[in-house]
Structures are given as C-alpha cells and as structure tokens.
Amino acid sequence: MTAAPDSPLATLWCPSPNREPRRNGRTPDMLVLHYTGMDSSEAALDWLTREESKVSCHYLVDEEGGITQMVREAERAWHAGQSLWAGETDLNSCSIGIEIHNPGHDIDYRDFPEAQMEAVEALCLDIFARHPIAARRVVAHSDIAPGRKRDPGEKFDWARLANAGIGLWVTPAPLEGALGLGPGDEGEAVAALQRDLDAFGYGVEITSTYGRGLENVVEAFQRHFRPERIDGRADASTRDTLARLLVAAQRAPIA
Ligand SMILES: [Zn+2]
C-alpha cells in the first residue's frame, strides 16, 4: 500500500486498519453516501481508524470541506453493513463509501454547509474520473439499509449533486391531499408499488401486502427523493416521482 491518497483532493491520509481486498474481483461501480452521526469529524476520524470499531470508509468530508482518505479505493472498506441494492448484498466490495460529517438525527441534525457540499461534489466527480459509476448507483446509506439507517438524511442536497452530474434526480411531484397506499393495504396496487421499488434497486419482496418492511423502504425513498413528507405512505406524489425516476434511470448515462 502506498502512503498517498487516490484523490488529489484529499489533503489528509489517515489509514484505517479496517480494510481488506475487495471480494470476487469487484471494482468500484457504486457510491454510498453517509453522515457520521457523531459529535465532531475528529471523533468520527478517530473511530473510523480504530481497529476495535470494525468500521471504516474511503473518505471523510468535514464541515469546512476538508477531505481525508483512510482506505485505498482498490480496497474494501467497512461502511455499508447489512445492506442490499439491485439484488446484491456485499455492497462493500463494489462501492466507495464517503462519510460526510453531520451529527445526525440522534444528536443535532443540521444543514450541510456550502463548503462541505462543494467538497462532496468535487470528490464525487473526481472519483468518477477513475471509476464508471451509473447515476442510479449513487445511493444513500438509508437506501441500502431501510429501517436501519437514515443517513445522510432529508437535509442532504441531492438535487445539487444531480445538477453537477452526480446521481439521479427528478423534481418531486407536489404533495396532494390523498394519503394513497399505506400499512395494512393489500392487492395489485401494492404489488405494483413493490415491483417499481424493486426495479429501481431497493430491497423489496413482492408480497402484495403493505407491511413494515415496505413502509421502511417507502420512507427511505422519500428521504432521498421526496423529502417534503417522510411518512412511509405511497401517496400520489411518491408514486409519480418514482415512476419518473425509473424512466430517468433508463436514460442516464454511466458517469
Ligand atoms: Zn452510514
């Protein structure tokens, strides 16, 4: 292992022991964005580079926009945990993980500062220059672990990143009064919703029943793509936004 970061934008290189070779010959074709959920980025860096934590990521972006690399892109970092996207479960082997410092929902969830978003945007574009990553494979930790994770959360500016060519975004359909489908509902409309979420990449079983698992996935979808109301109900705005994203996903080029 060399002592130099992969990204010229990383001004600090603090190797984490929590890394290993990527499995099955995988190379990065996915980006997973996180928030740290800790009091400070210094505390996050300390934790992510401690052997006992058993967690790590490739990059950490602090609130001032400073970028630290701790695992080489060629290696497997331990950031995704139990997760699923597009039918795959070993997402650490195919992804690059970026931790974006924010204390998060349990401590003090706040807006991501401009300097930090600028750094995240530049870092993603820099990674794309080395790895082909499809727009639909730029995801939130909450997308791949619904019900378990909420990061980076509804305050994260996905629209801004999409404007720069990072990830998929359509303007969310406006909210309407009707509540749509929700927990307890059954039938073909629920199955159709499950099929659409599954086709987009979420881990959903086609059961025709709106259970807790589906509610968690709809909440994760809303947190990322329709943040105005996060209630786990498939209202008309949620359905319409998902339908247009499916079309956009087909059209989007690989970065
Ligand atoms: Zn996370």
Side-chain angles (χ1 to χ4, degrees):
M1 188 171 76
T2 68
D6 292 296
S7 173
L9 302 175
T11 51
L12 265 176
W13 169 242
C14 297
S16 174
N18 304 324
R19 60 188 168 78
E20 62 197 326
R22 292 181 182 272
R23 296 174 188 161
N24 301 314
R26 295 299 296 270
T27 53
D29 66 0
M30 184 171 185
L31 262 189
V32 181
L33 304 191
H34 302 259
Y35 67 43
T36 58
M38 295 186 72
D39 285 312
S40 69
S41 61
E42 290 80 9
L45 180 59
D46 179 62
W47 183 243
L48 291 160
T49 53
R50 254 184 218 234
E51 197 168 354
E52 68 192 80
S53 74
K54 303 287 180 211
V55 291
S56 62
C57 63
H58 294 89
Y59 296 98
L60 170 68
V61 182
D62 68 31
E63 284 179 311
E64 290 76 44
I67 300 173
T68 302
Q69 184 168 1
M70 60 194 91
V71 174
R72 291 294 309 268
E73 290 174 0
E75 293 187 293
R76 185 178 186 272
W78 303 348
H79 57 94
Q82 194 182 345
S83 50
L84 192 153
W85 190 253
E88 281 194 282
T89 53
D90 180 15
L91 302 180
N92 282 335
S93 280
C94 62
S95 67
I96 288 176
I98 301 176
E99 287 279 359
I100 301 157
H101 176 61
N102 189 303
H105 294 86
D106 290 337
I107 300 176
D108 173 23
Y109 190 44
R110 53 201 190 207
D111 289 338
F112 294 83
E114 171 61 22
Q116 188 178 38
M117 288 306 298
E118 266 176 36
V120 169
E121 183 178 309
L123 177 61
C124 291
L125 293 173
D126 174 60
I127 290 168
F128 289 170
R130 286 183 294 281
H131 308 284
I133 295 177
R136 65 194 303 172
R137 291 178 67 79
V138 178
V139 299
H141 198 190
S142 51
D143 291 321
I144 63 175
R148 191 172 72 81
K149 291 291 175 182
R150 288 180 285 178
D151 60 312
E154 61 278 5
K155 289 182 189 288
F156 190 72
D157 194 350
W158 294 99
R160 176 214 171 105
L161 291 191
N163 266 330
I166 303 154
L168 218 49
W169 181 259
V170 297
T171 304
L175 294 181
E176 290 171 19
L179 286 174
L181 298 169
D185 285 335
E186 291 182 23
E188 176 49 33
V190 175
L193 169 67
Q194 290 170 327
R195 282 194 297 269
D196 281 357
L197 288 165
D198 172 72
F200 194 67
Y202 287 96
V204 182
E205 277 182 76
I206 318 299
T207 61
S208 306
T209 299
Y210 208 120
R212 182 70 197 146
L214 180 57
E215 190 180 7
N216 286 338
V217 170
V218 171
E219 221 175 90
F221 174 83
Q222 291 169 335
R223 208 176 282 289
H224 185 158
F225 295 106
R226 210 288 309 270
E228 199 176 343
R229 186 166 72 205
I230 302 161
D231 62 359
R233 294 193 62 92
D235 53 31
S237 154
T238 299
R239 288 299 274 125
D240 180 70
T241 305
L242 173 58
R244 285 182 293 119
L245 278 164
L246 280 166
V247 173
Q250 299 300 326
R251 290 191 191 140
I254 290 179

